Amino acid sequence: MILGIGTDLANIERIEATLARFGDRFRNRVFTETEQRKAERRKDVAGTYAKRWAAKEACSKALGTGLRMGISWKDMAVTNLPTGQPVMHVTGWAKERLDLMTPPGHEAIIHVTLTDDHPWAQAFVVIEARPLGAAITPG
């Protein structure tokens, strides 16, 4: 069952300007150390940050709160599987909210997809409640 859906569109040039103006102050407020390491290794630094910004916004919308009610930017973090697939991790108040949304006997799965086409970066997040012990079938 779907618990929440969120999407966001971020302007890469706006993120690039914010990085130039505020530098580490912006990076450290919004992004985890892991996210920063990933972005700084990439050719398109601003695009990488913009996709993660959009993912955090989309996740907060899927949680039904937006960036209010105590959710911190760093309570949501994007990493990548070895295949490159993005994965959303939640901690703090975002995790508490996710736990409250998840029906008994279910586990929450956060699906995230990221894309960009300069000057835009987009993220889409779906939060699924899957019965505990349910088999995952391809297709």
Side-chain angles (χ1 to χ4, degrees), residues 36-50:
Q36 290 179 47
R37 280 194 304 274
K38 173 84 171 184
E40 298 298 328
R41 286 193 315 259
R42 297 308 258 311
K43 181 179 175 184
D44 183 11
V45 173
T48 301
Y49 279 124

Side-chain angles (χ1 to χ4, degrees), residues 1-133:
M1 101 181 53
I2 303 299
L3 298 178
I5 298 171
T7 188
D8 192 68
L9 186 65
N11 185 289
I12 295 168
E13 293 169 355
R14 179 174 160 245
I15 297 297
E16 187 172 41
T18 302
L19 286 165
R21 182 172 180 193
F22 297 105
D24 286 341
R25 187 170 141 210
F26 172 65
R27 281 183 196 88
N28 293 332
R29 181 174 156 248
V30 176
F31 303 100
T32 65
E33 288 181 22
T34 301
E35 289 173 311
Q36 290 179 47
R37 280 194 304 274
K38 173 84 171 184
E40 298 298 328
R41 286 193 315 259
R42 297 308 258 311
K43 181 179 175 184
D44 183 11
V45 173
T48 301
Y49 279 124
K51 284 186 280 191
R52 278 149 179 76
W53 170 282
K56 292 167 186 265
E57 286 274 8
C59 185
S60 71
K61 293 170 186 175
L63 289 168
T65 63
L67 285 161
R68 58 185 176 92
M69 297 176 60
I71 290 181
S72 163
W73 286 103
K74 287 183 168 182
D75 285 350
M76 300 164 287
V78 178
T79 62
N80 295 86
L81 297 176
T83 60
Q85 177 183 346
V87 178
M88 178 66 70
H89 305 274
V90 292
T91 58
W93 199 92
K95 173 74 168 115
E96 290 175 27
R97 172 71 180 158
L98 182 63
D99 291 345
L100 286 171
M101 293 171 61
T102 306
H106 290 72
E107 63 179 329
I109 311 294
I110 302 174
H111 304 276
V112 60
T113 187
L114 308 173
T115 191
D116 65 291
D117 187 6
H118 196 86
W120 301 106
Q122 184 177 29
F124 192 76
V125 171
V126 175
I127 302 175
E128 171 192 8
R130 186 178 297 160
L132 291 172

